[in-house]
Amino acid sequence: IARLLAFTGGKSLAATTLADLQTFADSLAALSTGSRKRTINAVKSLLSFGQKVGYLRFNVGAALKAPKPKNTLAQRILTEAEVHAMIALTKKQRDQVLLRLLYASAGRVSEVCALTWQDAQPNGDSGQVTLFGKGEKTRAVVLSRQTWQALQALRPAAAKPHDPIFTSQKGGHLDASQVHRIVRAAAGRAGIAGNVSPHWLRHSHATHALDRGASVALVRDTLGHSSLSVTSMYTHAKPSES
């Protein structure tokens, strides 16, 4: 927004025209496609909000199109062997269970960091975790018996229901930035190139589940997606036929 205001010489949003926006968008050519998209979408979002609250009579940003970056999802999907190597080569118990759960639950890093022991419940001969996250949606994900046993082995004898499952050295919930460092270190030990993040394990879960015959609807519910079209991007990233 600051970049737009500087470009238009401080012109008010109400006085900004579509021609101003188009010229501004053209001025961003030196930026990467992703940066241009974020900048333009931020401007479009502000203008939409301005119209919604009655400050702007017209939303001139509605006609402005943000560029679509190249889809690089396929580059962020690990093989099953790579996931197993990341887990096997991690010796610290907390970190190994964290990696297992990120992959097994397909949870977002914020959802997994927020887990408490009351969110882990038995289910038959294994168990499940209840994740709460994006869009204020709650979903339960069933774990394999092995992952459930590994999770229970991490639980301290004196743990209370509201205690975090993954704790930092200070005793509170593990921070997302710490999880990123744990995942990157695990990827390095496994010899995996690239800026591997916790979200790669989520992508990998979805892809491997579809490869093994899970329905798109089931994977959608596991990942907490809002629609099948979002989940279907995994079938496009790793097609079985071409």
Side-chain angles (χ1 to χ4, degrees):
I1 303 305
R3 185 180 278 136
L4 170 67
L5 295 177
F7 180 83
T8 59
K11 182 184 289 188
S12 71
L13 291 177
T16 300
T17 65
L18 177 58
D20 290 330
L21 295 181
Q22 290 171 331
T23 307
F24 171 67
D26 292 340
S27 75
L28 304 175
L31 299 178
S32 68
T33 304
S35 294
R36 295 204 312 275
K37 180 181 178 181
R38 283 192 296 274
T39 301
I40 292 173
N41 281 340
V43 170
K44 287 170 62 69
S45 178
L46 179 62
L47 293 172
S48 295
F49 178 73
Q51 183 186 39
K52 183 178 179 180
V53 299
Y55 173 71
L56 301 176
R57 187 176 179 187
F58 300 107
N59 177 11
V60 294
L64 188 67
K65 301 298 182 183
K68 289 186 177 182
K70 178 182 177 181
N71 189 338
T72 59
L73 176 60
Q75 301 170 21
R76 290 172 280 129
I77 297 172
L78 303 166
T79 66
E80 291 190 35
E82 287 173 330
V83 174
H84 284 301
M86 287 175 63
I87 295 171
L89 295 174
T90 299
K91 301 306 179 185
K92 187 174 181 179
Q93 184 187 24
R94 181 202 67 181
D95 296 352
Q96 187 181 79
V97 175
L98 173 64
L99 293 171
R100 287 189 71 142
L101 195 62
L102 283 167
Y103 175 65
S105 70
R108 300 177 179 90
V109 63
S110 58
E111 297 169 341
V112 173
C113 286
L115 285 172
T116 61
W117 286 111
Q118 68 180 357
D119 296 320
Q121 299 292 329
N123 184 331
D125 61 355
S126 62
Q128 65 182 51
V129 289
T130 301
L131 302 170
F132 178 78
K134 191 174 181 180
E136 298 186 335
K137 293 180 181 178
T138 301
R139 66 189 189 281
V141 179
V142 178
L143 305 176
S144 69
R145 186 190 306 174
Q146 293 84 355
T147 299
W148 174 250
Q149 290 172 345
L151 182 63
Q152 290 305 300
L154 184 67
R155 182 171 187 162
K160 299 177 181 177
H162 291 285
D163 287 346
I165 291 180
F166 299 107
T167 57
S168 65
Q169 291 182 343
K170 296 181 180 179
H173 285 273
L174 198 62
D175 185 78
S177 62
Q178 293 174 288
V179 178
H180 278 269
R181 287 193 290 271
I182 291 168
V183 170
R184 278 198 297 270
R189 286 189 294 270
I192 303 170
N195 189 22
V196 182
S197 74
H199 222 69
W200 287 39
L201 294 170
R202 177 175 163 88
H203 293 323
S204 302
H205 172 114
T207 303
H208 301 165
L210 291 168
D211 287 346
R212 288 175 172 269
S215 69
V216 177
L218 177 59
V219 176
R220 173 201 61 193
D221 293 343
T222 301
L223 271 66
H225 283 160
S226 57
S227 68
L228 283 175
S229 61
V230 178
T231 313
S232 295
M233 67 182 180
Y234 293 103
T235 61
H236 298 310
K238 290 283 188 179
S240 58
E241 296 179 342
S242 183

